[in-house]
Amino acid sequence: MRRKNAKMDMPPSLPSTVPLLAIQQRGGADIGDSVVPLPTTATTRKDGRKQQSAQRKRHQRIAALIGLLFVLPSVLGFLLYNLGPILFGLYISFTKYTGFGSPTWTGWYNYLFLLHDADFWHALLETILLALFIVPLGIIVPLLLALLLNEGLPLQGLLRVLFFLPSAVPWVAAAFVFQDLFNHYGLYNTVLGYFHISPQDWTYATSSSSNLLNPLFWLIVILSVWKSYGLGMLIYLAGLQGIPKERYEAAMIDGAGPWQRFRSITLPGLAPVTFFVLITSFIGALQTFTPVYLLGQGAAQTVNGAVSGGGMQTVAVYAYNTAFQAGIYGYGSTILWGLFVLMFAFTLVQFRILQRGTRRKEALG
Amino acid sequence: MSSVSVPSPARGSGSRGPWAWLRNQEWLVGDQSYRPGRLRGAWRVLQVLALLFFLLISFLPFYDMVRSALLSTDEYTAFHFVWWPHVSQWGNFQLVMTVTDGLFLRWWGNTIFVAICIIANTILVNGLAAYAFAKLRFPGKEILYFIFLATLMVPSESTYVPIFLIVRLFGWYDTYMGQVLPGLISAFTIFLLRQFFEGLPRELEDAARIDGCREMGVFWHIVIPLSRPILVVVSVTSLIGAIESFVWPLIVTQTQDIRPIGVALATLQSLIPPGGNPAVVMAGVLMMVLPTLIFLLFAQRAMVRGLAGSLVG
């Protein structure tokens, strides 16, 4: 592996004009060395303190300028397309803005409206329920697959690639395919028919106000898990291979059975990986947009300025409809910021729980 | 108390060959030198069944994709499931091109064009910034880096509305610029590149500097060529991201001929003339998925080779 930032010893072929002291002090040739050859005004080696000539200071200033220059284009783009929009979105969420004219400041009105918005809470419930099912499955299934494919099976490498393929299918394509699989005369219902179970059409959601767990919900859960277990499997495989084998050997010497080994070595060894997968899949699940947009819209329409979803809406879809279909940019921004705040709070809580857990372990151990 | 023994391979090919996993039934260790537990064959059978089950789940949608793409109109709208078309309608793929007025290839071209823009920008702008963060010293470096990283926590969805307004302000609505721009400055890319650059040995840069290279020279002639593995990874990820991109192009484009493949495909259904074959949609889906899969298979090999090569040096 490459070495990181190794402090450089004296290079053998140094030009005589470069003072040795300067290089020793900084542990390596620095940017100042390339700009102008250093003058021979070095102090004696017995002098411990650095004495920089005015020229050296100028070189350092040029060095700093070059650094800033390199960073400048990305900083500009960053201000314009990363930081700027974040702040601008925050600002807009406090306004009423229809895209024409200028935004009118309304203070907390949007957020108060958000708190009472039935559609938002409905969409939020759908989103959280989605996440509630997608995340555990998105942890268990990849873990299972990684365990299965870490045993030295024949064709193991091929199998790993094969299981990764679903993740490579874009969301749009996958949504259409699943719609095809699960519709009234699709494969799934046909197979159910062989077991004499009556067919259900999974692609149309029942009325959104009555039944939250409608068939389309489960379709999207299955679709999301199907699409994400490939990547999760790879991550877990990497994590599994990171657990030192000596632990297993020690456990076997001590007489631990397979299930015990799994519980006390494999699972704790995978804790950081699991945490990562948990957080990322949760954040991802909360932002589910594409399958819901493509399959769950039904007859979404704008009625009296409020956007009503047909069938099924997640928060992201609701925000999209509000902002880009109904043209209510201010409130759309509010919705998205509300979601972000909730996500952020939840991530903080997860971190706190984890910290308390490790602190307790350290205190006990 | 189970004893730990390391069996010699003298027993014959059974303990070494491809079927060794069947005989040496250890569990969850992956190292073939330990004794089996209590449940012997049953466990292996269970594992095989589980694998087959997941294989089935993984590939059923692919089968359905191919099957549906080849159906005729009658078979598609029939009131029963057709396992495989009686006569495969290979003409459906041509139909996709006709239905979209030949725009299908153009949609692919749009996608690749956007990806190339992002990749070029990654190397030039993001790479330069990552290099500065990794190797150079300038005032405000730590604060700036921290701000960059902090924005990673905000989901991109939250920024779609304001970015859209900004893009519209510049007159870039419904243009290639509008599509490409939000993906350009990626704090994650800068982070990744910086981590990689920090791992590059200082001796090479110092040697270049002593030989008279200025900073730009060091960047171009030393750092970039050495960074091939990470650049390959970033490029592949960018291309896949461009193929998958849906929400942002949906927001920012309107005319069909600059849309990338994801968004455009979603409109395919509305382009079918009445009485046309609805299977055309699935044919279009297949035409989108197949190149992506093939590309990914090759890209995976290239990435692994690139990463492995970097470990040697």
Side-chain angles (χ1 to χ4, degrees), chain A residues 1-3 8 29 74 81-82 85 99 151 153-154 164 180 185 190 226-227 229 249 258 287 324 329 336, chain B residues 21 27 34 44 51 57-58 64 68 79 81 129 155 157 162 164 168 172 181 185 199 202 206 244 296 311:
Chain A
M1 285 299 276
R2 53 179 56 85
R3 299 148 58 192
M8 197 179 88
S74 69
Y81 298 113
N82 280 15
E151 305 248 337
L153 267 56
F164 182 71
D180 198 58
Y185 297 105
T190 313
W226 182 81
K227 189 138 169 23
Y229 66 54
E249 295 173 13
Q287 296 175 353
F324 297 106
Y329 293 107
L336 290 170
Chain B
W21 68 277
W27 182 49
Y34 294 102
R44 280 301 187 217
L51 273 178
I57 292 185
S58 302
D64 188 76
S68 298
F79 290 113
F81 185 73
E157 319 270 324
F164 168 76
R168 206 184 54 158
W172 288 330
L181 277 166
I185 310 298
R202 265 201 99 165
D206 295 335
E244 291 245 8
L296 207 80
L311 290 177

Side-chain angles (χ1 to χ4, degrees), chain A residues 185-261:
Chain A
Y185 297 105
L187 181 59
Y188 178 77
N189 281 319
T190 313
V191 170
L192 279 190
Y194 289 147
F195 294 106
H196 298 290
I197 308 176
S198 59
Q200 325 162 26
D201 195 338
W202 289 48
T203 58
Y204 294 103
T206 53
S207 151
S208 58
S209 56
S210 64
N211 188 7
L212 286 171
L213 298 185
N214 51 56
L216 180 62
F217 176 87
W218 296 109
L219 176 79
I220 295 191
V221 169
I222 297 177
L223 171 58
S224 304
V225 174
W226 182 81
K227 189 138 169 23
S228 64
Y229 66 54
L231 202 60
M233 176 191 73
L234 288 185
I235 297 178
Y236 269 116
L237 275 173
L240 276 178
Q241 283 158 8
I243 302 178
K245 297 268 172 67
E246 294 84 33
R247 297 191 194 172
Y248 290 109
E249 295 173 13
M252 296 196 78
I253 290 173
D254 288 342
W259 177 244
Q260 238 177 338
R261 289 200 304 267

Side-chain angles (χ1 to χ4, degrees), chain B:
Chain B
M1 202 78 59
S2 62
S3 59
V4 175
S5 62
V6 184
S8 59
R11 215 154 53 91
S13 65
S15 57
R16 271 284 170 102
W19 294 103
W21 68 277
L22 191 57
R23 295 173 192 271
N24 308 338
Q25 295 166 27
E26 73 295 327
W27 182 49
L28 294 175
V29 179
D31 180 0
Q32 300 190 12
S33 58
Y34 294 102
R35 284 276 176 79
R38 261 179 298 151
L39 298 170
R40 293 174 164 238
W43 191 245
R44 280 301 187 217
V45 170
L46 216 64
Q47 285 180 328
V48 173
L49 283 180
L51 273 178
L52 286 178
F53 173 69
F54 281 115
L55 268 179
L56 192 71
I57 292 185
S58 302
F59 283 94
L60 224 50
F62 290 106
Y63 149 70
D64 188 76
M65 225 186 287
V66 179
R67 170 204 82 99
S68 298
L70 297 176
L71 290 181
S72 63
T73 319
D74 299 324
E75 286 167 329
Y76 197 86
T77 53
F79 290 113
H80 61 91
F81 185 73
V82 179
W83 290 92
W84 195 257
H86 199 66
V87 177
S88 302
Q89 303 287 318
W90 296 102
N92 282 348
F93 298 110
Q94 185 61 36
L95 210 58
V96 171
M97 300 294 294
T98 346
V99 155
T100 60
D101 294 327
L103 278 181
F104 195 82
L105 282 179
R106 189 173 165 140
W107 292 336
W108 265 118
N110 292 338
T111 315
I112 296 180
F113 175 67
V114 167
I116 290 182
C117 287
I118 295 185
I119 294 172
N121 181 77
T122 297
I123 298 179
L124 294 175
V125 175
N126 289 348
L128 217 53
Y131 174 70
F133 280 123
K135 299 288 188 184
L136 306 179
R137 278 184 231 144
F138 52 91
K141 171 172 152 177
E142 299 299 324
I143 308 172
L144 208 55
Y145 193 62
F146 177 73
I147 298 180
F148 266 78
L149 285 189
T151 60
L152 279 180
M153 287 201 301
V154 181
S156 46
E157 319 270 324
S158 301
T159 54
Y160 281 154
V161 174
I163 294 184
F164 168 76
L165 293 171
I166 293 177
V167 161
R168 206 184 54 158
L169 192 72
F170 279 102
W172 288 330
Y173 175 73
D174 209 20
T175 60
Y176 284 113
M177 276 292 265
Q179 283 185 60
V180 168
L181 277 166
L184 284 187
I185 310 298
S186 162
F188 184 70
T189 312
I190 294 184
F191 167 73
L192 213 63
L193 288 175
R194 184 205 184 197
Q195 297 297 103
F196 188 85
F197 291 159
E198 276 181 350
L200 294 178
R202 265 201 99 165
E203 290 91 354
L204 293 167
E205 310 164 47
D206 295 335
R209 284 202 190 104
I210 289 169
D211 284 342
C213 254
R214 311 232 167 183
E215 281 320 302
M216 202 56 167
V218 176
F219 179 69
W220 263 124
H221 299 298
I222 306 287
V223 174
I224 289 290
L226 282 179
S227 311
R228 202 164 292 145
I230 196 78
L231 290 180
V232 166
V233 169
V234 169
S235 307
V236 168
T237 331
S238 299
L239 186 52
I240 294 180
I243 295 177
E244 291 245 8
S245 66
F246 182 73
V247 191
W248 177 247
L250 180 72
I251 292 174
V252 90
T253 61
Q254 210 175 4
T255 50
Q256 287 289 74
D257 48 348
I258 54 167
R259 283 185 148 170
I261 189 115
V263 184
L265 203 70
T267 64
L268 192 57
Q269 188 143 31
S270 56
L271 295 174
I272 304 176
N277 190 352
V280 155
V281 177
M282 292 308 289
V285 165
L286 191 59
M287 283 164 76
M288 173 189 183
V289 170
L290 212 56
T292 312
L293 288 184
I294 295 177
F295 167 71
L296 207 80
L297 287 177
F298 282 116
Q300 222 186 21
R301 208 178 299 167
M303 283 203 283
V304 168
R305 207 181 299 140
L307 286 172
S310 75
L311 290 177
V312 175

Side-chain angles (χ1 to χ4, degrees), chain A residues 328-361:
Chain A
I328 311 174
Y329 293 107
Y331 187 54
S333 218
T334 314
I335 298 172
L336 290 170
W337 269 91
L339 180 65
F340 168 59
V341 165
L342 286 170
M343 271 177 18
F344 190 68
F346 186 82
T347 315
L348 270 182
V349 166
Q350 277 188 326
F351 263 102
R352 279 282 175 78
I353 294 179
L354 194 79
Q355 271 187 351
R356 210 176 300 148
T358 49
R359 231 177 274 144
R360 194 178 297 141
K361 278 199 201 139

Side-chain angles (χ1 to χ4, degrees), chain A residues 25-99:
Chain A
Q25 280 171 347
R26 260 207 307 278
D30 198 2
I31 178 176
D33 298 333
S34 67
V35 180
V36 166
L38 288 169
T40 50
T41 54
T43 59
T44 62
R45 290 192 200 192
K46 290 206 192 117
D47 190 343
R49 289 184 57 216
K50 265 192 290 188
Q51 286 195 354
Q52 295 179 339
S53 63
Q55 225 169 354
R56 186 140 203 97
K57 277 214 179 90
R58 209 187 87 216
H59 299 157
Q60 282 188 332
R61 216 172 298 146
I62 296 178
L65 264 178
I66 292 187
L68 281 173
L69 208 66
F70 275 19
V71 178
L72 193 65
S74 69
V75 167
L76 279 180
F78 178 76
L79 285 177
L80 205 50
Y81 298 113
N82 280 15
L83 195 56
I86 292 176
L87 299 175
F88 186 49
L90 186 61
Y91 163 69
I92 290 276
S93 67
F94 288 101
T95 69
K96 175 179 151 124
Y97 187 37
T98 51

